[in-house]
Amino acid sequence: MNKALVVGNWKMNCSLEEAKTLAREISEVLSELKGVEIVLCPPYPYLVPVKIEIENSSIRLGAQNLYWEGKGAFTGEVSVTMISEICEYVIIGHSERRQIFGETDEIVNQKLSSAIKFGIFPILCVGENLTQRENGEASSVVSRQIEACLDGIQSPNGLAVAYEPIWAIGTGVAATPEIVSEVMGGTITGTLNRIYGEERTAQIPLLYGGSVTGQNIESFAALDCISGALVGGASLRSNEFSEIASITSRVKTSG
Ligand code: PGA
């Protein structure tokens, strides 16, 4: 079985004090939680302060991005080796990186390879936009993204895939469990099976992301094709994030 994961993507939010408080509150409530790994992904400057807050708990640390070179003249970037010294996880290819910062599947592929090479567990984000969904292209877009992003990557065991339809991110309109089943249980699982075979694919946690809340998490966690969630807005509220993690743990450990 793959591991259940609940990942908080704080994006570019919080002051330093707010970040420390949020991390402390979450680790106080969730450090004993069983059956699900909790990962916090704060902005770069807060990685170390958050790491200090969570160091005596079971909560893990992730980055929101990395640059694949180890070091050198890359002003403003943070390297894979730097991230590997501090974090166990990294989010790669989030749609905001693709849309706002022009990351292509090729760039995502390079970042994924380097994360795996340096022992960081990457969470690959894929998902269609609204026009693509309305045109009936969701499945082909997602499967193309997976194939391109994972091209040449031989080690799928240390990797998670998050399905984040762009129209569901930050909108308050989550995908329905039917859509999630179709894309994650159908397209994503099918594409990974073709690349890695069923046995190895079964080891890859699949996460849903896009307007996940304390109210809707149960309907997603109940799906067999899902191992957890990538949570944006709701991860900035310690009570709600803790609720999402606790519900995921209850649902995933009861089956
Ligand atoms: P959201 O963001 O939960 O605020 O929709 C999810 C994400 O972008 O990872």
Side-chain angles (χ1 to χ4, degrees):
M1 257 313 274
N2 60 56
K3 58 181 161 186
L5 274 178
V6 172
V7 183
N9 174 12
W10 295 2
K11 308 192 180 184
M12 198 177 74
N13 291 297
C14 297
S15 67
L16 175 57
E17 277 316 306
E18 285 165 350
K20 285 162 58 175
T21 304
L22 185 55
R24 195 177 322 122
E25 288 175 354
I26 289 169
S27 68
E28 275 165 14
V29 180
L30 296 181
S31 62
E32 302 293 310
L33 199 68
K34 298 275 178 286
V36 56
E37 186 131 294
I38 310 299
V39 184
L40 302 183
C41 301
Y44 285 146
Y46 306 154
L47 284 170
V48 171
V50 165
K51 189 179 174 70
I52 292 167
E53 293 297 334
I54 63 177
E55 75 190 343
N56 293 319
S57 77
S58 58
I59 314 287
R60 321 316 294 178
L61 192 64
Q64 298 173 18
N65 186 24
L66 55 69
Y67 189 61
W68 58 83
E69 293 287 350
K71 62 176 181 164
F74 302 100
T75 302
E77 291 295 325
V78 176
S79 81
V80 62
T81 49
M82 295 167 187
I83 296 299
S84 73
E85 287 182 290
I86 299 171
C87 298
E88 289 174 55
Y89 289 84
V90 64
I91 298 170
I92 302 276
H94 190 280
S95 60
E96 286 149 18
R97 302 272 347 143
R98 295 174 188 259
Q99 289 190 306
I100 305 170
F101 301 101
E103 281 192 13
T104 60
D105 288 337
E106 290 68 35
I107 290 174
V108 172
N109 176 261
Q110 225 159 337
K111 291 185 173 185
L112 272 175
S113 316
S114 72
I116 289 171
K117 186 165 155 208
F118 284 89
I120 315 168
F121 191 101
I123 299 158
L124 164 64
C125 300
V126 295
E128 80 285 357
N129 64 29
L130 189 57
T131 311
Q132 291 163 334
R133 170 146 294 274
E134 286 172 349
N135 291 341
E137 296 163 0
S139 175
S140 59
V141 166
V142 167
S143 96
R144 258 202 321 273
Q145 282 177 336
I146 292 183
E147 278 164 5
C149 294
L150 292 176
D151 186 34
I153 292 179
Q154 293 305 325
S155 164
N157 292 346
L159 152 83
V161 177
Y163 171 53
E164 296 209 311
I166 294 169
W167 47 270
I169 295 179
T171 59
V173 182
T176 60
E178 291 71 32
I179 289 179
V180 170
S181 279
E182 192 182 307
V183 176
M184 298 182 65
T187 306
I188 295 182
T189 304
T191 309
L192 291 171
N193 279 343
R194 272 203 305 283
I195 303 174
Y196 296 119
E198 285 181 25
E199 206 174 308
R200 291 169 82 192
T201 296
Q203 304 298 316
I204 302 175
L206 302 186
L207 314 182
Y208 169 71
S211 296
V212 170
T213 64
Q215 274 79 54
N216 64 23
I217 183 62
E218 185 145 6
S219 61
F220 297 122
L223 299 171
D224 281 344
C225 58
I226 285 191
S227 301
L230 178 52
V231 187
S235 73
L236 296 168
R237 298 184 287 276
S238 58
N239 285 345
E240 188 167 8
F241 185 69
S242 302
E243 189 186 357
I244 290 169
S246 304
I247 291 171
T248 305
S249 159
R250 172 169 56 73
V251 173
K252 288 300 175 198
T253 51
S254 70

